[in-house]
Amino acid sequence: RDVSFAYTLLEGINDSEHDAERLIALLEGIPSRVNLLPLNRWPDCPFEPSSEQKTLRFSDILSGAGITTTVRRSRGDDIAAACGQLNSQ
């Protein structure tokens, strides 16, 4: 069975090609599935979500290494009800 990992991409912090290669190395030998999550911003959030282009490139690198990867889409962020946002209220 695969182990599922959730990875939230943060612009300029953990979304580079090098970061993808580091994640691949960390998961070596572990049958894995990675869910790439967009950051759901909240008021005063100090981080930015990664661009769609960077997210897709990150996904392509993981997939190219044989890691099953899903890019999740955010829902509810327009009303501050997406994953991680409710706790900030």
Side-chain angles (χ1 to χ4, degrees):
R1 292 180 109 183
D2 287 349
V3 178
S4 292
F5 294 91
Y7 190 94
T8 301
L9 291 161
L10 305 173
E11 179 66 37
I13 295 178
N14 68 346
D15 62 351
S16 70
E17 293 182 12
H18 177 71
D19 293 318
E21 296 293 339
R22 289 177 52 209
L23 182 57
I24 291 166
L26 283 171
L27 299 179
E28 186 176 349
I30 302 171
S32 304
R33 171 180 304 272
V34 175
N35 291 306
L36 297 176
L37 308 171
L39 173 68
N40 295 311
R41 298 196 78 240
W42 60 91
D44 300 321
C45 176
F47 305 107
E48 294 290 330
S50 297
S51 69
E52 184 174 356
Q53 181 181 5
K54 275 190 174 180
T55 300
L56 294 176
R57 178 67 182 137
F58 201 98
S59 175
D60 288 345
I61 293 169
L62 296 182
S63 295
I67 298 173
T68 301
T69 306
T70 303
V71 176
R72 298 292 182 162
R73 299 291 174 217
S74 181
R75 294 188 183 144
D77 58 333
D78 58 329
I79 59 170
C83 183
Q85 290 180 321
L86 293 175
N87 192 38
S88 69
Q89 298 291 323

